[in-house]
Structure formats: C-alpha cells, structure tokens
Amino acid sequence: MSGPVAPLSTHGDAVLTGLRLVDGIDLVPRADLAIVVRDGLIAAILPANEAPASTIDLGGAFVMPGLINMHTHFSLSLPGAGGDAVSALSEHDLALYMADGARRTLLSGVTTVRCVAEKDGADFALRRAIEQGHVPGPRIYTAGRSLCCTGGHGHDTDDTLECDGPDAFTRGVRSQVKQGADLIKIMISGGIAGEHEQITTPQLTREEMAAAITTAHAWGRKVTAHAGPAAIIAEAVELGLDCVEHGYELTPEVARLMAERGAALVPTLVVTRAGAFFDDLGVPPWMQERSLNAGPRHLQSYRYALEAGVEVLLGSDMPPFWDFEGTSAVVREMEHMQAGGLSAPDVIRAATAGPAGWLDASGAIGTLAPGRFADLIAMPEDPTVSASALRGIDFVMKGGVVVRDDEGRMR
C-alpha cells in the first residue's frame, strides 16, 4: 500500500470543452465555450480558443446545471409490502438504505435535493456524511420530520411529528430547527397515502398553521405544506405559506392568490400517474384508486397555476432515480410538466434556477456561472427543445468531481 486512502473527493478541477452551454440564465444554448473549474467552483466560462488545455472534451454535448429535486424522501415508506419493508429497517439499515438512494439520485443527474420528511433525523446524518466525503450523494436541504396533527397525513411513519394546538406546532418547528432543518414542512390536508382520510380533508386549524408559519419565519426558515384542497391552501397562503406541495385541487382564484403572495408550487404530477410504481411496492388498491382517480383534477390544478403565473418547481416525490416508464422518475416528472403546458426552457428553469432561488442559494447552485458550484449534467440532445432530452443524461459532475461518465470522456 503506497499511502493513506483519502475519503471521496468533494471538489475538483477540470477544463470542459466541446460543449453547448445551457447555463440556466440564458436558456438559448451557446457553443464554442469552455468551462474552467477550480476547487469545485466555476472559475471562468471562456471562448473555447482562450481556454487552458482541455481535460474533458464533451464531444458536442449539451451541458446544463444539475437538477434540483424539491420533493424528495430518501426514507419513503408508502402503504404496502415495499413500504413495510422500509419501516421495518433498523436505524443502521435505514442509514445505509438512504445512503444508497442518495448515491443513485446523484447518478441520475440530481445534484441537489430538498427533503420534505425523513425518518428519525437520519437525513441530518446523511447530509453530514455526504459533506465529509464518506458517501456520495447530492447536496441536501431538509425539513427533517414534517409536522402533522394527531392521526394526520403521514402520522403512521417516523418521518412525521404529531402536534396538536398552536403551542405544540411552535415546539415542533423549534425541534426541527434545533436538529438543523433548513425549512419546515406541515401537513395541512389529507392526501393519497392516508387510509382514514381524503385528499380534501383539512387537518390543521388556522391557529396551528399560523403558529408554525410565524415561528419558522422568525427563525429564518421557509415553510412548505402538503396540501390538496383549495380552501385550506388559500388560508395557509394568506398566513404566509411559502410553497405548496401537490396542490391537487387548486382553483383559478387560489392560484392567483398564490401568484400574488409569491407562494410556489411543487406539483409532483407523477404521483397521480404512478400505477407501475405502486405495483412495484405492492401499494393497496384503495391508494392506487385514490391516486389515479385524482390525476385529471391534479393536471387541471397545475394548469390553473401556470395560467396564474405561479412559480412551479421540480419535485418527483417518487425516488428521483426510480426506473419508471423508460427513464428516471425525475425526468418523467419533467416530461409531465412540459406536456401539461410549461415550455421546455421553463421546465429547465423549474429544475434549476427556480429551486435555487426558493432555497436562497442562487449564488451557489442552479446556474452555471463563475463562483457557482460546478454541479452540471450533459446529454446528446437539446433540453431546451424537449424535456425528454434528459433521458440521455450520460455525464454528471458535482463540485468539479465527475461522478458519472458513460462515454469515458475522462482519459
């Protein structure tokens, strides 16, 4: 043995050439450029003929920022045999299971995630392990455990914390901030995965929502909410809610309110079109029926949001890397977003610069510009024409470190 073995590299150097750049700012691809990476950051973007000697020639590939998935659960356990197996894992087994999901997520082209309910604080340990180079994975922003009422959405798993009354929700927010949460998630209605509820079931009082939102904002954390029906969404948005997850039953009026108040939407369209995924996990018939039947109304809600000018952000809910309908779940979500009415360039923004802005991280991620992390992906086809181009992702870099190189471009 020649010397000590270092942990995984978390930052690197490179000069990328032979690329067509979609930088997340100007969404028209630009050719004849080179990206110079130093110590994990983009040091310069130069005309190719002015760049230092190339270390990686991408052969004409389209390069864009790494994807940011704003609705991720590494410890997801839905009703059914697959979810029961995850719930039965010991804390040690769960940590390894989540680490494998993080690795596969990164390899799928997702370089940053926003976790919106994880079990028992394991997400904080996973984040530390990734940052320290112990395991590979995306950058993690996390809500820790989500907050629900007694018997509320997700109450039967360890990724939620049951609270009742304003005081309990105040303590719940503070408990997650204490662990290191970057944001707070609250469950304000029923959903597709709760057997004893409906999507339309309101679950928090106005006072409970106000307590959670006010406390989180006082601590400098934004709040997102699992939410289905329009009325409860409107009430939460009026109280200062920053983001809506799913939004299954928006109305034009509530969509306009969201746009006026700057509340974003993470639509997760794929979750009401996920029959094959549910089959994989052995999800019971009642949940499958509720989910798939909600699909048409869910899509209409999404269109209301687009028409109103609501900012929509990418989030798959399903594991981003899941092999689904010929691609990954995260790419399939992007295809649904485009098919539902968002242009391909705007889908790119919803997957990169938009989420970075919501996370208050625009100076670090979401675009390819000097001073940002060198988090990027490459593919042969043009993603500004069709989101389906991302089915061809064959190169992934995070912090200047190449983690996927299907074509063997590194020599």
Side-chain angles (χ1 to χ4, degrees):
M1 186 171 181
S2 60
V5 177
L8 295 171
S9 296
T10 58
H11 53 275
D13 301 332
V15 178
L16 308 177
T17 59
L19 58 93
R20 287 172 281 187
L21 180 64
V22 180
D23 61 12
I25 303 167
D26 179 358
L27 294 181
V28 176
R30 293 180 289 151
D32 300 320
L33 295 173
I35 302 174
V36 181
V37 179
R38 294 286 180 264
D39 198 28
L41 301 177
I42 297 174
I45 297 177
L46 304 169
N49 60 6
E50 298 177 12
S54 174
T55 57
I56 303 174
D57 185 343
L58 290 169
F62 289 85
V63 170
M64 61 174 278
L67 303 177
I68 303 175
N69 193 321
M70 294 285 277
H71 194 119
T72 306
H73 303 280
F74 287 127
S75 56
L76 180 69
S77 55
L78 295 174
D84 291 346
V86 174
S87 295
L89 294 173
S90 72
E91 60 182 3
H92 311 297
D93 291 329
L94 179 66
L96 294 172
Y97 174 84
M98 291 173 66
D100 178 61
R103 176 188 65 85
R104 296 167 73 183
T105 293
L106 178 60
L107 293 177
S108 72
V110 177
T111 54
T112 300
V113 297
R114 187 185 68 162
C115 294
V116 286
E118 301 290 3
K119 292 181 176 25
D120 289 336
D123 44 325
F124 301 111
L126 177 60
R127 181 173 64 186
R128 289 191 296 270
I130 292 170
E131 290 172 347
Q132 294 166 6
H134 299 320
V135 297
R139 304 182 194 282
I140 293 178
Y141 293 79
T142 186
R145 297 170 74 184
S146 63
L147 308 182
C148 70
C149 66
T150 294
H153 188 72
H155 74 279
D156 50 350
T157 67
D158 293 335
D159 55 19
T160 55
L161 179 64
E162 288 180 303
C163 307
D164 290 302
D167 288 348
F169 273 90
T170 296
R171 288 193 296 272
V173 169
R174 291 171 178 164
S175 73
Q176 298 313 295
V177 172
K178 179 181 177 180
Q179 290 201 65
D182 304 290
L183 64 140
I184 296 297
K185 183 183 180 186
I186 55 178
M187 305 292 209
I188 66 174
S189 80
I192 63 175
E195 185 172 7
H196 304 299
E197 63 187 32
Q198 296 298 319
I199 288 173
T200 54
T201 307
Q203 295 188 344
L204 301 191
T205 67
R206 184 179 184 87
E207 293 74 20
E208 288 170 333
M209 291 189 291
I213 292 168
T214 300
T215 304
H217 286 176
W219 285 81
R221 269 66 171 182
K222 291 181 179 177
V223 182
T224 194
H226 165 98
I232 192 73
I233 292 171
E235 193 169 15
V237 170
E238 289 170 350
L239 292 168
L241 183 71
D242 302 292
C243 189
V244 173
E245 308 298 310
H246 315 301
Y248 296 118
E249 298 186 359
L250 294 176
T251 63
E253 295 76 17
V254 173
R256 285 194 293 270
L257 177 65
M258 290 175 62
E260 291 167 4
R261 299 294 181 91
L265 172 67
V266 180
T268 67
L269 295 171
V270 76
V271 302
T272 53
R273 291 154 180 80
F277 172 66
F278 294 149
D279 288 342
D280 288 344
L281 297 183
V283 166
W286 63 262
M287 179 176 164
Q288 292 224 29
E289 181 179 355
R290 185 184 302 171
S291 171
L292 301 179
N293 287 346
R297 183 67 179 86
H298 189 190
L299 181 59
Q300 184 61 63
S301 295
Y302 171 69
R303 289 174 171 155
Y304 288 148
L306 297 184
E307 291 166 3
V310 174
E311 181 169 34
V312 296
L313 306 173
L314 172 66
S316 63
D317 203 350
M318 287 171 57
F321 56 82
W322 202 268
D323 184 3
F324 185 68
E325 296 182 347
T327 186
S328 66
V330 68
V331 172
R332 194 71 187 97
E333 175 67 18
M334 294 175 74
E335 291 176 333
H336 283 308
M337 293 174 80
Q338 183 176 359
L342 198 61
S343 70
D346 283 338
V347 171
I348 293 174
R349 188 184 185 287
T352 57
W358 195 94
L359 293 166
D360 297 323
S362 295
I365 58 175
T367 56
L368 300 180
R372 273 60 164 187
F373 285 117
D375 295 354
L376 55 86
I377 57 178
M379 65 219 74
E381 303 298 326
D382 186 353
T384 68
V385 173
S386 172
S388 293
L390 284 102
R391 288 179 174 240
I393 293 171
D394 58 17
F395 182 89
V396 180
M397 171 181 280
K398 180 195 166 197
V401 177
V402 177
V403 296
R404 177 177 173 184
D405 181 18
D406 295 0
E407 299 300 316
R409 297 180 179 98
M410 294 185 65
R411 302 299 182 187

